Amino acid sequence: MNYTSEMEKAMHQAHGISYEVYSSNVEARMKVEQKREQDYVKGKLLIARLDSKVHSI
């Protein structure tokens, strides 16, 4: 995979680490993936709440 400068910038903004650190450090990768999972779950819960409000009107 070709890693672009935009991808590098996004990794820094979202997780505070470079792609090189992400790809070479298992602990850093696990932290990033745990944060991604938490963000995914929060998003799903938010959508479920909004969906229930929309359908209860």
Side-chain angles (χ1 to χ4, degrees):
M1 171 189 222
N2 294 335
Y3 204 74
T4 66
S5 61
E6 290 83 14
M7 294 166 76
E8 182 72 23
K9 183 178 176 182
M11 180 66 85
H12 270 284
Q13 288 176 340
H15 306 291
I17 63 171
S18 68
Y19 182 75
E20 182 179 352
V21 171
Y22 172 81
S23 64
S24 65
N25 185 320
V26 174
E27 288 181 24
R29 185 179 295 186
M30 291 304 297
K31 286 181 183 178
V32 166
E33 295 306 324
Q34 287 171 348
K35 184 177 183 309
R36 286 180 176 165
E37 180 68 20
Q38 290 171 354
D39 289 346
Y40 173 78
V41 170
K42 285 179 187 177
K44 294 290 279 184
L45 290 172
L46 177 62
I47 290 171
R49 276 190 245 136
L50 290 173
D51 194 42
S52 69
K53 286 184 180 183
V54 166
H55 292 293
S56 67
I57 296 176

